[in-house]
Amino acid sequence: MRHLLSLGLVLLMTSGLFAQKDVYKANWESLSAHNEAPEWFSDAKFGIYFHWGVYSVPAYYSEWYPYFMYRDNKVKEHHIKTYGELSEFNYHDFVPMFKGKQFDAEEWAQLFKDAGAKFAGPCSQHHDGFAMWDSKVNPWNSKDKGPKKDITGLLSKAVKERDMKFIATFHHARNLQRHEGNPDKFATYHSHFAHVPGTATASTDKKIAKMYGNIPADEFNEYWFDQLKEVIDQYSPDIIWFDVWLRMIPLEYRQQFAAYYLNEAKKKDQEVIIAYKQAAIPNTVGVLDIEQGGKRDQSESVWLTDITLSNKSWSYIEGQTYKTPQMVVRNMIDVWSKNGVVLLNVSPTADGVINQEQRDILKRIGEWMKKYDEAVYETRPYSINGFGNAKAEEGDHGGQTAKVKYTAKDARFLKSKDGKYIYLFILGKPAPGTVISTKELGVHKYYPEEGIKKITHMGTDTTCEWGFGDINFELTVPDAEMDDIANVFRMELN
């Protein structure tokens, strides 16, 4: 009898009767029940990803090469001069040239970890329709073509083995040709590929048409969703990030995606994040991303910004230039002080090389992050974000630019989660003997029982002299070696 009962239990379980039911339904009310910004994300502060794909082969202008090569401009002129007429050489003809022979997932993951990143991953698919994973849904993928490697799978494994979270970013909502039923209306901004008769963009071959988004909208929406399900099922990303064109996907598909992702994560006991831009999904469901910039003021909710290490484009191009470690880190500190998290983009060559110039910058960032790790990771915003006189220009996508030129006259705050420490970041290299004066901490003069007990310059462990004026708090920079990126003073509270 006992044997029969056990057998019956096994049959019930295998029949799915005891299978875990979906927690989340495909509507915003149900989806809002999940924690859109888990604590690990607030603790992480910094992640790295990369724009690397077929567009890396021409290495000209930007990752928007396929957008411009079918429109009348200098990119098209360059393409015809270099590769031939569009009737003979199309964007998909670059695919066999995208070999990535020197790509090394283990080495890249270690590079990102050494730079201080707590999460990392690829641009899994850009607007160009080429999937950077082993796909059965998309015939244009990195396992079957080009590198002949499962880029996303290899990175997922290498990143997770190093105790980092894994991010997969998606830009493919823009891949559909949205010419509103008029094929001649190919200049629409929301279609990545123009519909140009006599070229592959207008091909009726099913395989080619799929890459160029020359398919019916209903079919494309299913295709968009199926590719996401494939990545979720195969790699279990901790963050799925979307570019701004997520808004172009019908509401029901966005909700179905979110429900599928969150339910799968629940089964795996994963705390996951959906990152979005503008108003593609509610802020109760995902984390807002502001491209190439950040909020001007402190935010109650956690947010994200994606920024480039490079100056000219997101992908590698010939003649690329890069930001200094000073600019990158100082602008990151500003983001952290306002309850933000940073996603930094690097740009490998088509061969799979992250060049030495980028590596040197990442190494210097990593050295700084390691020196001041206590003041960065697992911290929270202070009651005010900081003070100073640096001028922050408008960002191209909202908020302020990610290229603010901060100096030692600018400061930002963070605090430890347990409330025992305040961390004062000076965004430059102050000279010994300089008096840092601010009324922002002057209140501690009147509440000594809650006030400052000791101040130490982190990195050198030098004790600092400090006190109060009439209304200002005053800190004297000690005679110690100052960091040329930014310096942190740990304030121990009573």
Side-chain angles (χ1 to χ4, degrees), residues 162-346:
R162 286 163 176 79
D163 199 29
M164 293 187 285
K165 300 290 187 179
F166 182 65
I167 182 172
T169 78
F170 290 90
H171 314 240
H172 67 311
R174 196 171 186 273
N175 183 239
L176 174 64
Q177 288 188 26
R178 294 182 172 92
H179 43 61
E180 300 169 6
N182 179 6
D184 294 328
K185 187 182 178 183
F186 58 77
T188 173
Y189 179 64
H190 298 301
S191 297
H192 198 57
F193 289 105
H195 189 100
V196 183
T199 74
T201 65
S203 175
T204 56
D205 178 281
K206 290 186 177 181
K207 183 177 178 181
I208 294 176
K210 217 166 191 178
M211 181 174 193
Y212 291 93
N214 188 28
I215 59 179
D218 289 346
E219 181 182 338
F220 176 83
N221 293 330
E222 290 290 344
Y223 181 49
W224 173 86
F225 186 22
D226 287 344
Q227 291 183 85
L228 287 164
K229 286 191 285 188
E230 212 173 35
V231 170
I232 293 166
D233 293 344
Q234 293 173 194
Y235 314 112
S236 301
D238 299 288
I239 305 174
I240 289 184
W241 177 104
F242 291 104
D243 205 353
V244 65
W245 283 273
L246 178 61
R247 295 175 302 158
M248 306 299 291
I249 300 298
L251 176 63
E252 60 267 29
Y253 283 94
R254 282 178 270 159
Q255 292 176 328
Q256 286 173 32
F257 150 74
Y260 186 86
Y261 183 36
L262 297 181
N263 282 320
E264 289 302 304
K266 190 75 173 178
K267 295 172 187 175
K268 302 167 188 173
D269 198 26
Q270 248 185 313
E271 292 183 299
V272 298
I273 294 164
I274 302 170
Y276 69 95
K277 292 183 178 180
Q278 298 184 0
I281 62 175
N283 60 9
T284 53
V285 176
V287 172
L288 175 68
D289 178 280
I290 301 174
E291 182 176 329
Q292 292 282 37
K295 294 193 175 185
R296 290 188 174 275
D297 302 304
Q298 203 169 74
S299 171
E300 289 188 12
S301 59
V302 182
W303 55 282
L304 178 67
T305 179
D306 58 313
I307 64 172
T308 52
L309 190 61
S310 52
N311 286 312
K312 296 181 179 181
S313 67
W314 291 80
S315 66
Y316 176 81
I317 59 172
E318 297 294 337
Q320 183 65 274
T321 61
Y322 304 94
K323 299 171 185 174
T324 63
Q326 288 81 358
M327 175 170 283
V328 174
V329 173
R330 291 171 190 174
N331 278 271
M332 289 202 302
I333 294 168
D334 177 72
V335 170
W336 301 333
S337 74
K338 297 169 182 173
N339 210 16
V341 177
V342 176
L343 176 60
L344 178 67
N345 175 76
V346 297

Side-chain angles (χ1 to χ4, degrees), residues 81-94:
K81 181 180 178 180
T82 309
Y83 303 103
E85 294 292 337
L86 293 173
S87 58
E88 300 297 327
F89 194 105
N90 283 268
Y91 183 68
H92 71 272
D93 292 313
F94 284 120

Side-chain angles (χ1 to χ4, degrees), residues 368-376 457-459 483 486-488:
W368 187 91
M369 297 287 277
K370 186 175 182 179
K371 181 191 290 187
Y372 297 115
D373 61 348
E374 175 195 324
V376 175
H457 175 252
M458 297 181 69
D483 195 292
N487 288 269
V488 186

Side-chain angles (χ1 to χ4, degrees), residues 372 387 407-411 424-437 455-458 460-467 473-483 486-491:
Y372 297 115
F387 58 90
T407 70
K409 294 182 179 180
D410 300 295
L424 171 62
F425 294 75
I426 302 300
L427 308 186
K429 185 178 182 179
T434 301
V435 176
I436 299 167
S437 179
I455 301 178
T456 305
H457 175 252
M458 297 181 69
T460 64
D461 203 30
T462 305
T463 301
C464 305
E465 295 181 4
W466 59 278
F473 162 82
E474 296 175 347
L475 166 67
T476 301
V477 176
D479 187 11
E481 184 178 357
M482 296 288 117
D483 195 292
N487 288 269
V488 186
F489 296 90
R490 182 205 292 120
M491 302 180 174

Side-chain angles (χ1 to χ4, degrees), residues 387 437-444 471-473:
F387 58 90
S437 179
T438 173
K439 65 180 180 181
E440 310 299 349
L441 295 175
V443 66
H444 288 289
I471 59 173
N472 280 15
F473 162 82

